[in-house]
Amino acid sequence: MTKKNKIHHASFRDPSGFLFHDGDVLRRSIQPIYFPQYKKLKESGFFKILNQKNLLIPHTETSVSENQIIITPEKIPFVTNPYEWSFEQYKQAALLTLKIQNFALSKGFILKDASAFNVTFHKGKPILIDTLSFDFYKEDTPWRAYKQFITHFLGPLVLAKYHGTEMLKMMQVHIDGIPVELISSLLPFRSQFSPILYSNIHLLAKMEHKHKVDYEGKAKIAKLSKNAQKKILETLYSFISKLTLNKASEWGDYYSKTNYDTDAFSNKIALIREWIMRLSPKSLIDFGGNDGTFARTVIDDVAEILVTDIDSNAIDLNFQKVRDNNEVNLLPFVSDVLQPSPGIGFDNTERETLIKRLIKFSPDVTLALALVHHITLSGNIPFEKSASFFASFSKKLIIEFPKREDSWVDSLLTRKREFINHFDFYNEKNFEKAFNVYFNLEKKTVLEGTKRIIYLYKKK
Amino acid sequence: MKFLYFDPGLGAMIVQALVAVVAGILLFTKNLLYKIKIILGFKSKDDEYDSIDIDNNNIEPDDEKE
């Protein structure tokens, strides 16, 4: 029988069931309250269709008893959170949710949740991971998850459109979605003239405000026909499909603005690829990997690749390539090395820290190219701390150290003005000394035609 | 009323009726413009954007695996 398995830290809000760790495997326990729904979803073939279309994470039925049904979902190697998505990724997650709700309606079901945290990226596409998010459709009832869709999806997307992708990071602080009245107040005045934005956000905010005090739940609930609901879904879908950002960010076109002459650049690509291939990694993470140029040199040879960058636009470019090429083993996401995602939610464990997820992912190779000078000189992080950070999850680390003579480093140092002497420590010797505390040096080479050294380190 | 573990927001339930009316008008206008554009030759019939509908016509039958 089931021993005392550890219940998943995020899985406590829904009485239909909960996730738990069975040793290394993540499983889902379905409670009797949800048996009718689960049976219907299974027997009608609904699950099967969504699985085959790659819209819902597939699962296998592990055990059935009168107290619980246990299912095992397909393993997702690395879960990204909504505040780690680029604009296009966020859009696709929103469209996925609408698509599923629309389809569910046609089959007599609804999504009872429209949380952005029910979606993650897997094999290059957004996918619904909350298998128990479905409920029976009750004729003519409005969509119960509508407001959640607005606060988790439409709101953040539209805020990002007008104010930039930094707005998407608000989801880290608003795990239950950005409050409607806040969204409404942040949108520019001209949004009042957009029928979609007026009705779905501004009007909703006014209504919320008006009905705030109805504690007894006595006010009438309006009826909404299935067709009317479908119309809402379709207009939202169409509107979100066409959303674009008003401005791009600074790192987007990175590789055309860098320091490398073309020969040096191709040398670097060849060298990095050769070093990675020698290690035959099954998994790899590229920090500051921008649009994935370096990661793609080994995409056919590494089973799981993560590419992360602080720049949302670069991640968008990367994601576009993933879609264009139908890549299934490369996952781009946004993160800041100087402040990786914290644990949030109840007890600060509902959503896991980035570092914990990286430790679990346990990449065979970590790439940190053209990164450490930014961490050290712009971020003021001492070498020792960078080394400790990388050591916490890396096995093999390929890291690039631009010397003081490198022109980027020189300009970063010059910007320090009178504090330039605080950075006298920035040199090859101190770098190596710090990293030798946590790593053993395996290879070291100067990149031809540059003032940069590439190191291959192995964690001690 | 079915038990729900989060508050859907009373205002949200009510406002959907209004949103649906707006949606209806928007879709009507969109379809009208689309048909006019086809008639006038500005758009071909297969100039479709990514649709909300899922094509569930080519679902593979269950294989007898394991």
Side-chain angles (χ1 to χ4, degrees):
Chain A
M1 279 295 113
T2 41
K3 310 154 252 177
K4 265 247 162 119
N5 290 311
K6 229 179 93 187
I7 296 183
H8 191 271
H9 43 76
S11 189
F12 53 84
R13 294 184 177 208
D14 184 359
S16 307
F18 57 87
L19 287 169
F20 65 95
H21 296 286
D22 180 4
D24 274 341
V25 185
L26 187 66
R27 299 193 207 276
R28 198 182 279 276
S29 164
I30 303 174
Q31 299 302 289
I33 195 177
Y34 195 74
F35 282 1
Q37 287 89 337
Y38 177 74
K39 291 199 155 85
K40 192 82 209 289
L41 288 160
K42 180 179 149 195
E43 278 148 23
S44 66
F46 184 79
F47 277 154
K48 196 169 109 190
I49 298 176
L50 288 186
N51 290 340
Q52 288 195 343
K53 295 288 176 188
N54 296 317
L55 302 175
L56 170 69
I57 194 81
H59 65 264
T60 49
E61 221 169 69
T62 306
S63 74
V64 180
S65 80
E66 62 180 26
N67 293 323
Q68 63 176 343
I69 297 175
I70 298 183
I71 62 174
T72 307
E74 181 181 304
K75 182 169 175 189
I76 295 178
F78 190 81
V79 172
T80 50
N81 292 313
Y83 39 85
E84 292 160 342
W85 297 338
S86 68
F87 185 75
E88 191 61 37
Q89 286 176 312
Y90 214 105
K91 238 175 85 167
Q92 292 303 318
L95 295 177
L96 171 80
T97 306
L98 289 172
K99 214 175 223 189
I100 292 179
Q101 169 66 4
N102 185 56
F103 182 69
L105 264 187
S106 69
K107 299 288 176 188
F109 299 105
I110 52 153
L111 277 173
K112 65 188 191 220
D113 281 320
S115 162
F117 293 93
N118 284 351
V119 178
T120 198
F121 282 81
H122 184 53
K123 296 187 181 159
K125 294 190 168 68
I127 197 164
L128 182 70
I129 49 175
D130 189 356
T131 309
L132 309 190
S133 193
F134 297 99
D135 205 347
F136 294 121
Y137 171 61
K138 242 178 116 180
E139 208 61 36
D140 291 344
T141 47
W143 186 22
R144 302 203 75 104
Y146 167 74
K147 181 182 163 190
Q148 205 175 29
F149 183 80
I150 301 299
T151 59
H152 278 249
F153 286 111
L154 182 68
L157 280 168
V158 155
L159 286 177
K161 174 191 170 57
Y162 288 110
H163 301 297
T165 54
E166 287 298 300
M167 298 304 265
L168 297 178
K169 294 182 184 169
M170 280 177 78
M171 290 307 288
Q172 192 175 286
V173 175
H174 294 280
I175 198 175
D176 286 322
I178 306 178
V180 189
E181 292 183 49
L182 181 58
I183 302 172
S184 175
S185 69
L186 287 171
L187 288 175
F189 182 68
R190 61 185 186 275
S191 68
Q192 303 271 345
F193 300 104
S194 153
I196 295 270
L197 294 181
Y198 184 77
S199 55
N200 287 289
I201 295 178
H202 297 299
L203 192 59
L204 180 60
K206 290 187 173 68
M207 277 294 188
E208 289 282 290
H209 190 77
K210 186 170 157 202
H211 289 271
K212 234 197 269 228
V213 209
D214 180 39
Y215 289 116
E216 292 169 48
K218 278 199 184 142
K220 280 191 295 181
I221 308 283
K223 278 191 177 230
L224 190 80
S225 75
K226 190 194 280 195
N227 266 332
Q229 195 189 134
K230 280 187 163 247
K231 287 190 181 143
I232 297 179
L233 298 173
E234 203 182 318
T235 48
L236 283 173
Y237 192 92
S238 168
F239 180 81
I240 291 175
S241 302
K242 299 196 202 119
L243 273 181
T244 52
L245 290 167
N246 284 357
K247 46 192 169 175
S249 57
E250 70 175 51
W251 291 102
D253 200 14
Y254 181 67
Y255 286 110
S256 68
K257 296 188 210 147
T258 51
N259 248 24
Y260 289 88
D261 66 54
T262 23
D263 279 340
F265 194 71
S266 356
N267 281 342
K268 185 176 171 184
I269 293 215
L271 183 118
I272 298 297
R273 182 183 145 80
E274 192 206 309
W275 282 24
I276 296 174
M277 293 298 284
R278 287 250 183 97
L279 300 168
S280 303
K282 295 199 191 64
S283 55
L284 179 146
I285 179 166
D286 187 354
F287 269 99
N290 201 264
D291 63 0
T293 296
F294 285 94
R296 280 203 170 76
T297 60
V298 294
I299 196 168
D300 293 328
D301 309 283
V302 181
E304 295 290 341
I305 301 179
L306 302 177
V307 182
T308 184
D309 202 278
I310 193 175
D311 183 80
S312 192
N313 208 37
I315 300 302
D316 251 357
L317 282 171
N318 199 353
F319 181 60
Q320 190 56 52
K321 288 189 194 174
V322 170
R323 294 178 79 200
D324 290 341
N325 304 339
N326 281 323
E327 291 159 359
V328 295
N329 59 334
L330 196 148
L331 173 55
F333 66 96
V334 180
S335 75
D336 181 355
V337 168
L338 296 178
Q339 36 167 4
S341 310
I344 62 165
F346 189 77
D347 211 24
N348 283 350
T349 57
E350 229 183 300
R351 309 306 305 183
E352 214 165 34
T353 79
L354 178 64
I355 294 178
K356 276 214 183 110
R357 278 178 276 148
L358 288 174
I359 292 174
K360 280 190 195 158
F361 180 73
S362 188
D364 290 328
V365 172
T366 302
L367 284 185
L369 306 175
L371 186 66
V372 83
H373 55 308
H374 288 293
I375 300 177
T376 317
L377 298 174
S378 308
N380 297 342
I381 308 286
F383 286 140
E384 253 257 350
K385 281 181 120 40
S386 299
S388 156
F389 168 75
F390 286 115
S392 63
F393 56 84
S394 308
K395 295 179 192 157
K396 302 266 175 142
L397 172 66
I398 296 177
I399 184 164
E400 179 180 1
F401 178 75
K403 300 198 278 191
R404 286 189 83 97
E405 303 83 59
D406 176 86
S407 54
W408 252 113
V409 174
D410 191 51
S411 77
L412 285 171
L413 284 170
T414 315
R415 278 183 234 171
K416 300 290 180 187
R417 299 180 201 277
E418 65 267 32
F419 291 105
I420 195 172
N421 295 119
H422 288 223
F423 297 90
D424 285 346
F425 71 87
Y426 186 94
N427 58 40
E428 191 182 326
K429 205 174 84 180
N430 288 329
F431 174 81
E432 290 180 14
K433 189 164 146 214
F435 276 75
N436 282 336
V437 173
Y438 299 93
F439 295 94
N440 288 321
L441 180 64
E442 291 201 341
K443 274 203 265 238
K444 171 182 169 181
T445 184
V446 177
L447 273 179
E448 248 182 77
T450 74
K451 303 277 188 276
R452 299 180 169 216
I453 310 175
I454 308 267
Y455 292 86
L456 170 59
Y457 278 116
K458 179 177 174 183
K459 164 119 178 267
K460 282 190 176 161
Chain B
M1 198 59 71
K2 270 258 164 77
F3 176 73
L4 228 231
Y5 64 96
F6 70 89
D7 173 11
L10 181 57
M13 304 289 267
I14 295 173
V15 93
Q16 277 178 71
L18 294 162
V19 175
V21 170
V22 173
I25 298 171
L26 286 174
L27 282 171
F28 176 75
T29 331
K30 194 176 103 174
N31 280 332
L32 194 58
L33 283 173
Y34 185 74
K35 286 191 177 119
I36 292 175
K37 282 182 184 169
I38 288 187
I39 292 171
L40 293 179
F42 285 136
K43 275 199 165 113
S44 66
K45 275 234 163 121
D46 22 73
D47 186 18
E48 292 281 312
Y49 68 95
D50 173 36
S51 162
I52 193 177
D53 295 309
I54 295 172
D55 167 29
N56 62 334
N57 288 329
N58 40 354
I59 304 296
E60 291 131 36
D62 261 326
D63 285 313
E64 294 292 275
K65 298 184 219 169
E66 51 232 345

